[in-house]
Amino acid sequence: MLFPRFAHLALILFICVALVSCGKTKALDEQSSSLLGCWSGDDFQPVLGQTTMWLMERRSDGTFRVEFQPKDGKLQIEEGTWRHKGSSYTTATSEINGKLVDASNPIYADEYEIKLLANGFMEYHHTRMKVNFKARKVECGNSLDGRQAPVSK
């Protein structure tokens, strides 16, 4: 009588693991795939209060790394997660310069509306700050400060 009870538990555990695994291996749609890789821009960054060169890498595992190089300041590196659905693109920053941030603070969650995404060019609008950004797809591998960028995770 004990074996059937354990067999049911094993089956339930297997089903739970399978359901969780399926959720994590969701394939990117074609438009989300076109957002992958390295993108660069030179735009006004409201949080930094100045025009800033930036370089972002979006990875297929849903993580990103972005470097900001203010014209009169020190390189800032942010890491976190990104999502895309329809014309909405969101980021959630979890680290700045290697230090964890308070993820509950809305300043670290950004939502954008994609206006144009074609031929390695992207225009998008920050919905909360009402700022537009432009980006061009670039080759990965370099950092804004001239060093070799870390290899994608």
Side-chain angles (χ1 to χ4, degrees), residues 27-40 54 56-60 82-89 114-124 135-140:
L28 293 171
D29 64 29
E30 186 176 328
Q31 190 178 25
S32 292
S33 293
S34 64
L35 292 172
L36 294 175
C38 293
W39 294 78
S40 182
W54 55 269
M56 173 180 265
E57 180 182 9
R58 287 185 210 92
R59 304 173 186 124
S60 61
W82 70 279
R83 289 182 181 211
H84 170 253
K85 184 171 184 170
S87 66
S88 178
Y89 158 61
I114 298 172
K115 301 290 190 177
L116 175 67
L117 179 60
N119 302 319
F121 182 76
M122 180 176 167
E123 284 187 40
Y124 52 110
R136 290 213 172 275
K137 197 158 197 174
V138 296
E139 192 171 322
C140 292

Side-chain angles (χ1 to χ4, degrees), residues 63-134:
T63 62
F64 75 86
R65 179 180 193 274
V66 62
E67 298 178 358
F68 294 99
Q69 182 64 66
K71 295 192 186 314
D72 63 352
K74 182 181 163 194
L75 183 72
Q76 177 172 304
I77 299 171
E78 297 182 11
E79 296 191 65
T81 57
W82 70 279
R83 289 182 181 211
H84 170 253
K85 184 171 184 170
S87 66
S88 178
Y89 158 61
T90 60
T91 61
T93 299
S94 58
E95 292 181 30
I96 297 178
N97 294 332
K99 295 182 181 175
L100 293 176
V101 299
D102 177 6
S104 67
N105 187 332
I107 197 167
Y108 300 117
D110 297 296
E111 184 172 341
Y112 306 92
E113 180 184 349
I114 298 172
K115 301 290 190 177
L116 175 67
L117 179 60
N119 302 319
F121 182 76
M122 180 176 167
E123 284 187 40
Y124 52 110
H125 177 77
H126 194 290
T127 58
R128 185 179 73 241
M129 294 188 191
K130 310 290 188 228
V131 178
N132 293 316
F133 298 100
K134 294 179 180 179

